[in-house]
Amino acid sequence: MDLRRPNRPVIGPKVRQVGFVTPDSAAATSSSSIPAVSAAAATSAGSPPSSLSPVMIPPPRHPSTEMSNPHFHPVGSYNPSEQILGSPPALSPSRSSRFDADGSDFGGDDDESVALSGVGGGMTPKSSLLMRQPVTKTAPLVSETRKRDSNVSKGKGEGPSAAPKEKLTKAERRATQEAQRAAKAAAKEAAAAGGAPSVSKQPKPATKPATQQKKDVPSGSGPLQPLAPSGSIEKKQGKKEVAAPHPRMQFDDMTKVGKLKKRAVVNQSEARNRVELFRHLPQYEHGTQLPDLESKFFQLDLIHPSVYQVGLQFLSDKISGGNARCIAMLLAFKEVIQDYTTPPEKTLTRDLGAKVGSCVSFLIECRPLSVSMGNAIRFLKNRISSLPHNLSDKEAKSRLQSDIDRFINEKIIIASKAIVEHGVSKIRDGDVLLTYGSPSVVESIFAYAHGIKKNFRVVVVDSRPKHEGQGLLRRLVERGIHCTYTHLNAVSYVMHEVTRVFLGASSVLSNGTVYSRVGTACVAMVAHAFRVPVLVCCEAYKFHERVQLDSICSNELGDPDAISKVSGWKDLNYLDGWAQNENIQLLNLKYDATPSDYVSVLVTEQGMLPPTSVPVIIREYGIERLWT
Amino acid sequence: MDPPMDFQVVVLAGGTSDKLSPLVSKELPKALLPVANKPLLSYPLELLEASNLKNIIVVVEGDEAATQVESWLSVAYMDRLNVEVVKTPGDVGTVGAIRAVAPFLISTDILIVSGDLVSDISPGAIAATHRRHGAAVTALFCPAPVSGGADSSTSGGKDKAKKPSRCNIVGLDPTRQFLLHVVSGAKVEKDIHIQKRIVRAVGQMEIRSDFMDAHVYAFKRTVLLDVLEKENLYSIKQDVLPYLVRTQLRSEISAKKENSADESSNGATKELPSEDININSAVPSNQNLRWLSQHREIAPSSYQEIHISDCDMNKSRLAKKTHKCCIYLSGKTQYCARLNSVQAFGDINRDMLGEASRITGYTFSAQNNVVHPTVVQGAKTTAGGQCIIAEGTILGDKCSVKRSVIGRHCRIGSNVKIVNSIVMNHITIEDNCTIQGSVISSNVQIQERASLKDCQVGAGYVITAGSEYKSEPLTKR
């Protein structure tokens, strides 16, 4: 393996946010990082990390090494001759210690090219680290905040300079934002004064400070960082999506919410009493959006009918589930492209991109995007912007449409077929399989396994308020599969007899965290406690480079009424009129995050992988790499 | 120009309705009947215009009526709307009218609006509901006007005779989104026959008789054209809608057409993946994909889910065809009425003056009335609240007008009392007349000391001096 191989620039920003960093633990052990690393190297890769409670943060061996140096990444970068889990390098102690010395000025420096070149020479590949590899090799590219976090933690030990940052209050944050906003305005004015800023350039100053601001202000909940996809795409998207709310917009910032409202298509009234911890997530009064949107049906000329239809169906929950929503959206976009004609004096790549952007922002207003949809949109925009300029409208359109078809076909349909094949190989005769909710891929696995005469039993675990499991149950029973149906509260009782747990996922994040229907984490933990293997089935297009340690910072809030009302129980009306009562706040979360420790294996179309391999898949088979 | 949102609008303006005689005649087709001094047809047209629907097809029965409507439209909406008038021979029914415009229909969905609709319900909401469900047909139903109270003053006797025949029987699913059963008023018999399979599929059906079909339908074009091919259908309300509702679980609408194939997709569920997609095959067809995405559609009621299971039981994907019939129920605060009888004419006029005055677009003065500045009022003449008096009308001394509509260029003598009445254009009323609860068509001459109560006077009629009429329709022979 050539350690000195030149940098591959693409890798840089893409795989940045990996690794566990917690201020406290890092600080506590920063001095002892050398033994920790060597210990990590010593432990064989095969043994999974010891079980952790959901709130516990994994040991800090990675952070200390990860933080060290961007120049490390050529070493770990993918070598085609390697296998996915190919031999990784180990860290030399000298390097880690070097890091400790440099740590203090680290966070302040956003430029990744901090010195420390030549350190890589001290590394020796050690294949014993197999399972660790994906984490370590992507480690140097942690996002700014991550670094800042670590910096903060370092700061504790090494100097007071960074310490205050740790305790940014809301007011302070507001202040920095205000300052940035002023700077932004000034920049804009300057640009205007500078004379003849091209139309395409103008949005740039608007978006750039925004992203920067995001980076600079550590969000209260810390661990999550918004994605920073590879630069060029980010910029392009930024330009077009000026109107779209930022996917990670903080909805507790009143000024931002106000701005968003002004340009919103859907007239939304915010729910009044929201749970404090989740104020940053959008929540609207249920039942106000749909009639409003419906009555404006003919006024919204800009939005294509099929997009409108899909938006309505998202809003009324008629289409749900990652794959279904993604397919529905892509099909709508296909029709948009079909009906599109380039206006005179515009180029297709720019104008169509903007048009898709406006459709996307409409869909976001209807319901926040799922990760799968976000990835699909990124792919589509990428394709649009990479179209050669000399193509005729017709050619360009047909090319885009076939791209969409290929995406749906290869990334969703064939992928799920491959997953089914992999998944079925793990079903043995006499197995008792448990699933939660109604994951489509898992359903296909069961159906296929039943079709090839495997003899097994299924436990369908369901939960309020959506009762999605009932649909699955009905379909399975109709196929003649022996089923048990129970609710989440009883999962610990049924887990005794279960031999495998198959779960679906809305997304798998690059630290291996499975982001899925709320309740999935619970099932996975119970399974873990009972030493039942947990197989998470997820198409690779749902992988995301983000890192998330909890389900607070990024989530979706459902209709609170859905949990306050029990259907069929008219006398259960204790919560009637709760919206008027300041003392009651209902929380209906839609997703939760399952730490990777509870996932035995990820079943993807690329095979069965440990959850730690997600970054590799993202890097090597990610959306950007598709047919380029 | 593309129709917005892929919807085309057809307004069925009708011709010279028998039900509305003596108010409607060859000179005055129903579409131009003044309601609060505006032609009836302007209400649906303005409603559509407010929803940004500017390309409208208007179907009119009869040649003369068509010419009149066309000439009025060309003046009134010349630069605002793009209206195309299509004429049909008289007495072909609503289905015949649609047949006449069928060649013009190109968009995915068609919105059919009755020309006698006076409402403020956004057509967009109906269209959006239609789209959201991907329904074959969506109908607007509104709470039937409660007769009694205010209405009892007018033609109270007729009320009883008419009412039972006009109520519809409507079956709804528990979520009130789907139309499961419909019998229109004329066809209601003593017994109601409800299909067992539908009830079985829903589990629970709510049967209501207090909803009125507002004659606003959103149809999928393919479905509509399919239905039109069938014979012996006459009216949309009485034949087409019940037919579609009846057959929603065993749709006979041809599956060849893309949209209906789309509907059937709901029924099918995912099969074994191996059959599902052949890897080597080209990109799966659009329908197939849509089917995939809708497979996961969460049914709003148990209704659809049972569809699914029904189909699964048969194990054949093509065995069952279903289509959805949806319903849009108007809210309580929204106004919706159809002008399809003399009584309704009176009611709607009154509503325009009172509770639903917002629809008219007039601005009411402090006295809660609309008096055109050109109106000449004699000494001691009072125009009370809830009145509309149009331009050029001359009122003599000591007149009193209450809760009435008076049209253009009427000459009203002294000491005339007009209460609760509708007086159209170019009418001469001589001194000392009393008019109460009546409708007086254009060009009528009412001579001295005549007294009218609850009468409908046809156009051009002359009421002799001193005569007294009560609850009579009066027409020129």
Side-chain angles (χ1 to χ4, degrees):
Chain A
M1 197 161 78
D2 182 13
L3 300 180
R4 308 269 87 225
R5 211 150 39 110
N7 259 348
R8 287 171 57 178
V10 208
I11 307 170
K14 227 194 306 177
V15 283
R16 294 147 59 125
Q17 302 101 337
V18 179
F20 300 104
V21 183
T22 49
D24 301 354
S25 50
T29 54
S30 63
S31 55
S32 65
S33 63
I34 303 167
V37 173
S38 44
T43 51
S44 83
S47 73
S50 56
S51 71
L52 297 160
S53 85
V55 283
M56 223 168 99
I57 314 287
R61 2 171 218 223
H62 311 312
S64 51
T65 56
E66 280 162 21
M67 291 290 103
S68 56
N69 189 347
H71 284 264
F72 183 32
H73 64 76
V75 177
S77 69
Y78 183 71
N79 182 338
S81 62
E82 292 176 13
Q83 297 220 316
I84 289 172
L85 304 175
S87 62
L91 298 166
S92 71
S94 67
R95 187 159 182 280
S96 314
S97 60
R98 184 81 180 266
F99 166 69
D100 282 344
D102 286 340
S104 61
D105 60 3
F106 202 94
D109 196 346
D110 277 355
D111 189 355
E112 299 210 337
S113 62
V114 187
L116 291 185
S117 60
V119 176
M123 305 171 197
T124 49
K126 229 184 229 174
S127 49
S128 62
L129 258 181
L130 271 191
M131 301 297 272
R132 293 260 100 73
Q133 169 53 14
V135 177
T136 34
K137 73 176 161 193
T138 52
L141 308 164
V142 180
S143 76
E144 268 84 345
T145 337
R146 194 139 294 296
K147 279 188 238 155
R148 186 173 305 282
D149 276 355
S150 78
N151 184 25
V152 166
S153 57
K154 297 279 169 213
K156 267 186 199 165
E158 290 167 16
S161 63
K165 275 185 184 160
E166 195 176 18
K167 285 183 210 152
L168 269 190
T169 64
K170 215 171 183 179
E172 280 169 324
R173 244 181 291 155
R174 180 77 38 88
T176 49
Q177 284 176 349
E178 225 65 73
Q180 278 153 354
R181 204 165 293 133
K184 184 168 97 183
K188 239 185 190 171
E189 266 171 37
S198 74
V199 183
S200 60
K201 269 191 177 169
Q202 211 153 10
K204 241 184 205 168
T207 49
K208 258 202 170 161
T211 49
Q212 202 141 36
Q213 170 182 333
K214 269 243 119 114
K215 285 171 188 165
D216 289 347
V217 183
S219 70
S221 38
L224 165 81
Q225 254 320 290
L227 69 148
S230 50
S232 62
I233 299 165
E234 164 74 358
K235 263 181 212 160
K236 272 170 208 148
Q237 280 184 348
K239 250 186 246 165
K240 287 159 196 158
E241 274 185 313
V242 178
H246 191 275
R248 299 279 162 264
M249 188 180 137
Q250 302 290 298
F251 278 79
D252 46 358
D253 184 341
M254 288 322 288
T255 51
K256 276 190 189 173
V257 171
K259 269 187 204 164
L260 181 68
K261 257 188 186 161
K262 264 185 219 158
R263 56 184 181 225
V265 176
V266 189
N267 201 1
Q268 297 164 324
S269 55
E270 299 253 338
R272 265 179 306 146
N273 40 357
R274 290 179 287 171
V275 178
E276 183 64 45
L277 203 50
F278 293 90
R279 291 255 163 123
H280 59 287
L281 300 174
Q283 182 170 23
Y284 304 110
E285 264 177 53
H286 198 75
T288 54
Q289 288 170 285
L290 189 59
D292 181 68
L293 193 56
E294 286 197 332
S295 62
K296 278 200 275 185
F297 186 65
F298 290 113
Q299 268 96 339
L300 303 168
D301 270 344
L302 293 173
I303 291 158
H304 192 271
S306 51
V307 175
Y308 198 96
Q309 181 174 4
V310 170
L312 279 177
Q313 283 167 335
F314 287 171
L315 188 57
S316 57
D317 250 7
K318 281 199 72 153
I319 296 181
S320 65
N323 284 344
R325 281 170 72 196
C326 194
I327 291 177
M329 181 190 70
L330 285 174
L331 290 179
F333 283 166
K334 225 175 119 181
E335 282 176 39
V336 171
I337 292 169
Q338 177 65 46
D339 295 349
Y340 174 81
T341 46
T342 315
E345 296 172 24
K346 283 191 178 170
T347 53
L348 180 128
T349 49
R350 281 166 192 263
D351 192 54
L352 185 58
K355 183 145 191 176
V356 170
S358 72
C359 293
V360 170
S361 64
F362 171 75
L363 290 181
I364 292 178
E365 280 170 37
C366 292
R367 191 181 158 187
L369 296 183
S370 67
V371 172
S372 58
M373 291 162 74
N375 282 343
I377 290 165
R378 252 166 78 192
F379 158 77
L380 179 62
K381 290 200 161 177
N382 206 354
R383 298 304 297 171
I384 291 175
S385 58
S386 65
L387 281 175
H389 286 276
N390 51 3
L391 277 186
S392 75
D393 259 23
K394 203 178 170 192
E395 280 173 313
K397 278 157 70 176
S398 66
R399 198 185 272 201
L400 285 175
Q401 288 180 319
S402 69
D403 280 345
I404 292 179
D405 282 337
R406 272 178 74 185
F407 184 90
I408 297 176
N409 200 25
E410 291 179 13
K411 287 275 155 187
I412 304 178
I413 294 170
I414 296 178
S416 62
K417 185 175 155 41
I419 292 174
V420 166
E421 274 167 11
H422 290 304
V424 162
S425 68
K426 287 289 170 198
I427 299 179
R428 294 168 308 191
D429 276 341
D431 264 350
V432 180
L433 312 173
L434 182 141
T435 190
Y436 174 71
S438 174
S440 55
V441 186
V442 174
E443 183 181 341
S444 313
I445 292 176
F446 291 166
Y448 186 73
H450 183 71
I452 58 173
K453 306 278 181 239
K454 294 232 180 185
N455 181 21
F456 62 96
R457 211 152 64 76
V458 173
V459 180
V460 177
V461 179
D462 204 356
S463 72
R464 286 197 63 226
K466 286 188 99 180
H467 293 297
E468 288 164 311
Q470 293 189 354
L472 173 69
L473 181 74
R474 182 186 290 117
R475 292 189 289 267
L476 292 179
V477 168
E478 274 157 13
R479 287 184 192 279
I481 299 174
H482 187 85
C483 291
T484 307
Y485 177 79
T486 183
H487 269 214
L488 190 56
N489 353 11
V491 72
S492 59
Y493 298 93
V494 290
M495 200 55 86
H496 287 288
E497 46 174 348
V498 173
T499 55
R500 297 255 187 290
V501 174
F502 281 84
L503 296 173
S506 168
S507 173
V508 181
L509 309 176
S510 61
N511 61 342
T513 301
V514 175
Y515 185 68
S516 186
R517 181 115 205 85
V518 68
T520 306
C522 176
V523 174
M525 286 173 200
V526 173
H528 185 85
F530 281 82
R531 309 209 177 279
V532 178
V534 177
L535 295 86
V536 173
C537 307
C538 182
E539 295 88 347
Y541 85 106
K542 291 178 177 174
F543 287 6
H544 200 277
E545 55 259 27
R546 201 198 315 159
V547 167
Q548 197 174 329
L549 297 181
D550 59 36
S551 45
I552 298 169
C553 26
S554 168
N555 209 320
E556 194 182 329
L557 296 178
D559 172 24
D561 279 332
I563 52 169
S564 71
K565 294 205 174 77
V566 184
S567 59
W569 284 79
K570 286 203 176 118
D571 0 330
L572 277 182
N573 54 0
Y574 311 119
L575 288 178
D576 283 0
W578 63 274
Q580 271 69 49
N581 190 337
E582 290 288 313
N583 295 329
I584 306 181
Q585 286 140 7
L586 300 188
L587 179 63
N588 180 11
L589 280 181
K590 289 208 171 165
Y591 295 100
D592 66 9
T594 310
S596 58
D597 309 83
Y598 304 105
V599 179
S600 317
V601 74
L602 274 180
V603 186
T604 74
E605 66 261 34
Q606 262 91 19
M608 299 213 234
L609 311 163
T612 45
S613 298
V614 174
V616 182
I617 300 288
I618 293 174
R619 195 181 55 207
E620 299 305 330
Y621 304 96
I623 298 293
E624 284 87 16
R625 288 299 180 86
L626 213 57
W627 319 315
T628 45
Chain B
M1 194 180 146
D2 282 348
M5 286 292 171
D6 227 357
F7 259 94
Q8 272 181 313
V9 187
V10 180
V11 175
L12 304 179
T16 51
S17 165
D18 292 338
K19 282 187 203 158
L20 281 170
S21 67
L23 306 179
V24 165
S25 58
K26 275 191 181 154
E27 293 82 47
L28 187 72
K30 179 177 168 186
L32 300 182
L33 193 67
V35 174
N37 285 331
K38 282 167 133 188
L40 176 58
L41 190 57
S42 71
Y43 289 92
L45 290 184
E46 262 156 40
L47 183 67
L48 294 169
E49 193 190 9
S51 289
N52 203 16
L53 291 165
K54 302 217 158 121
N55 297 306
I56 298 168
I57 300 173
V58 174
V59 190
V60 186
E61 268 183 9
D63 286 349
E64 290 167 40
T67 341
Q68 283 175 357
V69 170
E70 204 163 0
S71 63
W72 170 72
L73 281 173
S74 62
V75 175
Y77 290 98
M78 192 171 58
D79 46 354
R80 288 159 65 194
L81 294 176
N82 179 14
V83 183
E84 190 165 341
V85 177
V86 176
K87 56 190 169 196
T88 60
D91 205 39
V92 289
T94 41
V95 171
I98 297 298
R99 280 196 185 115
V101 294
F104 298 100
L105 303 179
I106 46 163
S107 59
T108 318
D109 294 283
I110 315 288
L111 192 66
I112 297 175
V113 181
S114 169
D116 57 6
L117 177 79
V118 182
S119 169
D120 59 353
I121 297 166
S122 159
I126 299 148
T129 309
H130 181 71
R131 274 287 160 77
R132 181 159 57 90
H133 292 292
V137 57
T138 304
L140 168 65
F141 276 73
C142 54
V146 189
S147 304
D151 303 346
S152 55
S153 58
T154 49
S155 53
K158 279 180 198 165
D159 240 14
K160 271 178 200 161
K162 272 186 185 170
K163 222 195 149 206
S165 70
R166 276 207 287 142
C167 77
N168 297 306
I169 293 186
V170 180
L172 304 172
D173 81 312
T175 58
R176 291 195 165 187
Q177 290 178 324
F178 296 97
L179 193 55
L180 307 173
H181 184 79
V182 64
V183 185
S184 65
K187 294 197 173 175
V188 173
E189 294 157 18
K190 272 186 184 170
D191 307 325
I192 307 172
H193 298 277
I194 290 168
Q195 282 176 305
K196 263 191 210 159
R197 57 188 301 148
I198 291 181
V199 180
R200 217 181 298 133
V202 201
Q204 197 179 341
M205 188 197 279
E206 184 183 355
I207 292 184
R208 305 289 295 250
S209 61
D210 56 348
F211 286 132
M212 182 186 90
D213 186 342
H215 275 223
V216 178
Y217 308 101
F219 276 102
K220 211 165 245 179
R221 179 175 57 100
T222 47
V223 171
L224 185 63
L225 296 185
D226 261 14
V227 172
L228 291 186
E229 282 167 18
K230 298 186 187 307
E231 285 175 11
N232 57 43
L233 296 178
Y234 178 77
S235 136
I236 293 179
K237 179 190 173 191
Q238 292 176 9
D239 302 319
V240 175
L241 189 61
Y243 168 77
L244 286 174
V245 170
R246 211 163 50 232
T247 58
Q248 56 185 318
L249 287 186
R250 42 181 172 85
S251 174
E252 289 161 21
I253 298 158
S254 63
K256 283 167 274 174
K257 302 204 170 135
E258 40 155 1
N259 285 321
S260 39
D262 200 338
E263 284 149 27
S264 66
S265 66
N266 275 324
T269 40
K270 221 173 194 174
E271 309 244 318
L272 294 183
S274 54
E275 301 166 23
D276 219 340
I277 301 103
N278 185 355
I279 293 189
N280 300 324
S281 76
V283 171
S285 72
N286 226 351
Q287 290 166 22
N288 208 354
L289 288 172
R290 194 160 290 166
W291 160 74
L292 260 176
S293 79
Q294 287 180 356
H295 151 64
R296 303 268 298 155
E297 192 177 281
I298 305 290
S301 67
S302 55
Y303 171 52
Q304 287 168 321
E305 287 183 22
I306 294 192
H307 273 197
I308 292 168
S309 67
D310 266 0
C311 300
D312 267 8
M313 291 299 188
N314 292 324
K315 291 288 174 202
S316 59
R317 248 157 85 174
L318 297 171
K320 281 283 165 58
K321 305 246 178 302
T322 58
H323 57 248
K324 291 189 219 168
C325 299
C326 293
I327 186 167
Y328 182 89
L329 282 176
S330 71
K332 283 195 177 103
T333 54
Q334 290 164 313
Y335 185 79
C336 178
R338 286 192 60 217
L339 204 166
N340 50 6
S341 67
V342 174
Q343 190 211 336
F345 179 73
D347 292 347
I348 289 172
N349 267 298
R350 249 186 306 284
D351 291 339
M352 290 301 113
L353 299 173
E355 50 171 317
S357 54
R358 61 187 180 279
I359 297 175
T360 56
Y362 293 123
T363 41
F364 283 75
S365 70
Q367 288 83 40
N368 197 18
N369 57 17
V370 183
V371 179
H372 199 270
T374 56
V375 172
V376 180
Q377 296 188 21
K380 289 190 184 171
T381 290
T382 53
Q386 302 190 358
C387 278
I388 297 177
I389 304 177
E391 71 244 39
T393 292
I394 299 166
L395 292 156
D397 298 341
K398 290 186 199 167
C399 288
S400 147
V401 182
K402 284 179 196 160
R403 278 172 294 167
S404 298
V405 181
I406 297 179
R408 295 175 186 86
H409 305 289
C410 297
R411 299 179 164 278
I412 296 170
S414 301
N415 206 13
V416 174
K417 286 193 172 52
I418 302 175
V419 181
N420 249 340
S421 300
I422 297 129
V423 178
M424 294 182 194
N425 305 330
H426 305 288
I427 290 166
T428 313
I429 302 175
E430 293 177 4
D431 298 350
N432 300 324
C433 290
T434 314
I435 298 163
Q436 228 184 336
S438 301
V439 181
I440 299 168
S441 305
S442 300
N443 302 322
V444 170
Q445 196 184 356
I446 302 175
Q447 292 170 354
E448 294 176 323
R449 299 185 315 280
S451 159
L452 296 174
K453 199 175 177 220
D454 301 336
C455 293
Q456 293 88 41
V457 186
Y461 194 80
V462 179
I463 293 172
T464 51
S467 52
E468 264 185 49
Y469 294 99
K470 223 175 174 184
S471 305
E472 273 178 79
L474 306 167
T475 35
K476 199 162 71 173
R477 309 251 168 223

